């Protein structure tokens, strides 16, 4: 069976839920009591996409973004990105340009998914879905709404990212074998 290993990074403002999404995906739980500053350097998850085995290493910023300096090493070699905002936090949405600029400065062209997190907080949601969708469309990004708390769409968003990364990897291989 073909096997690929991909580095996935998760960026966005502090407190949007990046660590929670990774923990939900890898450990299948939501723990509101873990310490913010302790990031899993890279959590690992294996999945199958059709007849291909994919190992995802999910990198957590470990809170670096709170000091406004996510180190270049974090971005280096990334195969795919989740750019996360919090639907209850307008600032986190307004900062998306900054995160996308950082990615384009530091990374090759890689798949990026825009993630609107915390959609379980329905009565505090101040960024309508349409606004997220419009932004994603403008930037040619795939768009997902998630809740790390309930787990909604968390598996789906990483499966979609894996699929997109696989597509890129296979295209590169085909080019090499020409
Ligand atoms: P970060 O890694 O992006 O900084 P965290 O964000 O994963 O540390 O999450 C920040 C806070 O938001 C945490 O709460 C966490 O429990 C909460 N959170 C994360 N995702 C969701 C979600 O989908 N829904 C809800 N309701 N809360 C979420 P605290 O209270 O520790 O600040
Ligand atoms: Mg974190």
């Amino acid at each position: 069976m073909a096997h690929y290993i991909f580095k996935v990074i998760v960026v966005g403002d502090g407190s949007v839920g990046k660590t929670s999404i990774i923990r939900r995906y890898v450990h299948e739980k939501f723990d509101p009591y873990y310490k913010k500053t302790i990031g899993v350097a890279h959590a690992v998850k294996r999945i199958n996409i059709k007849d291909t085995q994919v190992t995802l290493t999910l990198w957590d910023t470990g809170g670096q973004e709170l000091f406004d300096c996510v180190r270049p090493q974090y971005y280096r070699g990334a195969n795919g990105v989740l750019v996360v905002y919090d639907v209850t936090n307008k600032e986190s949405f307004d900062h998306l340009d900054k995160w996308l600029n950082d990615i384009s400065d530091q990374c090759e062209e890689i798949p990026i998914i825009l993630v609107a997190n915390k959609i379980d907080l329905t009565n505090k949601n101040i960024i309508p879905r349409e606004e997220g969708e419009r932004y994603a469309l403008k930037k040619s990004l795939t768009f997902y709404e998630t809740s790390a708390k309930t787990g909604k769409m968390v598996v789906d968003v990483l499966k979609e990212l894996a699929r997109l990364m696989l597509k890129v990897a296979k295209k590169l291989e085909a080019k090499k074998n020409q």
Side-chain angles (χ1 to χ4, degrees):
M1 203 192 245
H3 183 206
Y4 292 81
I5 302 173
F6 295 131
K7 173 178 175 177
V8 173
I9 59 173
V10 185
V11 302
D13 276 13
S15 290
V16 295
K18 302 179 298 297
T19 302
S20 301
I21 288 171
I22 295 171
R23 289 175 62 90
R24 160 62 73 184
Y25 183 61
V26 175
H27 306 297
E28 288 160 19
K29 67 179 179 197
F30 180 75
D31 176 4
Y33 300 113
Y34 71 87
K35 277 228 170 101
K36 266 199 184 62
T37 43
I38 301 178
V40 254
H42 21 282
V44 177
K45 181 112 171 174
R46 289 198 178 79
I47 57 171
N48 292 331
I49 306 273
K50 288 185 189 152
D51 56 348
T52 307
Q53 206 172 48
V54 175
T55 298
L56 301 176
T57 60
L58 293 121
W59 290 54
D60 194 337
T61 60
Q64 291 176 64
E65 76 282 7
L66 298 173
F67 310 100
D68 209 29
C69 60
V70 173
R71 287 185 285 271
Q73 297 96 291
Y74 184 72
Y75 292 95
R76 196 166 300 142
N79 299 102
V81 194
L82 300 182
V83 179
V84 186
Y85 69 94
D86 167 356
V87 295
T88 71
N89 176 345
K90 172 94 167 55
E91 226 173 65
S92 74
F93 184 74
D94 292 340
H95 291 164
L96 288 173
D97 275 351
K98 178 230 179 259
W99 290 110
L100 290 175
N101 286 338
D102 281 7
I103 295 162
S104 61
D105 285 352
Q106 308 271 0
C107 302
E108 310 275 312
E109 270 209 29
I110 53 176
I112 303 171
I113 295 185
L114 181 63
V115 178
N117 189 41
K118 305 198 190 181
I119 52 155
D120 57 285
L121 298 173
T122 41
N123 47 15
K124 288 198 196 148
N125 185 341
I126 52 169
I127 318 277
R129 183 192 171 100
E130 297 71 42
E131 209 171 323
E133 276 176 336
R134 208 175 312 130
Y135 184 84
L137 194 66
K138 190 172 79 183
K139 303 285 181 179
S140 308
L141 312 174
T142 308
F143 177 74
Y144 272 82
E145 290 185 308
T146 62
S147 167
K149 187 170 185 177
T150 66
K152 190 166 185 203
M153 296 308 263
V154 170
V155 168
D156 309 64
V157 75
L158 280 144
K159 188 160 191 190
E160 176 62 11
L161 186 62
R163 216 183 48 76
L164 294 171
M165 293 187 296
L166 203 53
K167 216 162 117 182
V168 171
K170 288 191 167 161
K171 208 186 267 175
L172 273 176
E173 262 173 29
K175 222 184 224 174
K176 242 190 258 167
N177 294 336
Q178 256 173 19

